[in-house]
Amino acid sequence: MTDRTTYVTVAGLRVRGWSDAMIGELLGQPDVQGRDPRRWSLAPVRLFLLARVEAVERTPEFLSSAAVAGQGSAAAGAGAERRRRAVLAAIRAEPIEVPRLPATELERRAVRHRHLLGARGPGGITAGAMVRWQVGYLRQALARYETLLDGLYGDTGRTEAERLLRRRLYEAIAAAYPNLAHECARRMELER
């Protein structure tokens, strides 16, 4: 078994500023390759000797490659920021169309939706529970708007965009069904 303190994983190299291209060009094949005993994975663990990594990090080739990779990551960051702004603008501009249903039909659909989710409870349905179920059903009926988030990858602005979209959806439900406004406001507060 190898001493992991003398080796660096690919993830460890990335933390140190290495890109995949730099690993392939400057380090080549790993010094040790095998399965990770801590977790099951199809991909083998690639380990690079720490002394060799540190020696390569002192070379001019590494320094120039790291500078080029830094420029690429700055451009990627700018592109991600542009995508984030575009998605937020699309969410703000998109008209949210809430289905308008008679009260009895909305109740029927909310109960059916609740049962389709596998929820079972006591025989009687309270008024508060019915309001929560109706908002839940309408929120699910508006799930198609989640596609507005498709332009975001990873964490770049995704949390902010999801929060904005949820707020817009709950505001639209509250505007279409004023009797559900209190529950929508409660959910917006919880999901901050």
Side-chain angles (χ1 to χ4, degrees), residues 13-31:
L13 290 172
R14 288 188 186 121
V15 169
R16 295 173 71 104
W18 289 74
S19 68
D20 290 341
M22 291 168 57
I23 294 170
E25 290 172 16
L26 301 176
L27 287 175
Q29 294 297 315
D31 297 301

Side-chain angles (χ1 to χ4, degrees), residues 84 87-88 91 149 152-167 191-192:
R84 183 188 73 80
V87 167
L88 290 174
I91 291 171
L149 301 171
L152 296 175
Y153 306 104
D155 292 333
T156 307
R158 186 159 187 104
T159 303
E160 180 184 6
E162 287 173 346
R163 190 176 298 130
L164 175 62
L165 181 60
R166 278 192 308 266
R167 183 176 57 79
E191 295 180 6
R192 273 190 180 183

Side-chain angles (χ1 to χ4, degrees), residues 2 15 20 22 24 26 30 57 67 76-77 87 96 99 103 126 131 135 144 148 161 168 173:
T2 61
V15 169
D20 290 341
M22 291 168 57
L26 301 176
E57 288 176 343
V87 167
I96 307 293
T126 65
V131 167
V135 172
R144 67 182 178 277
L148 293 170
R168 295 249 6 256
I173 292 169

Side-chain angles (χ1 to χ4, degrees), residues 20 23 39 89 97 104 139 172 189:
D20 290 341
I23 294 170
R39 61 187 160 96
E97 297 176 19
T104 56
R139 178 67 181 82
E189 186 63 33

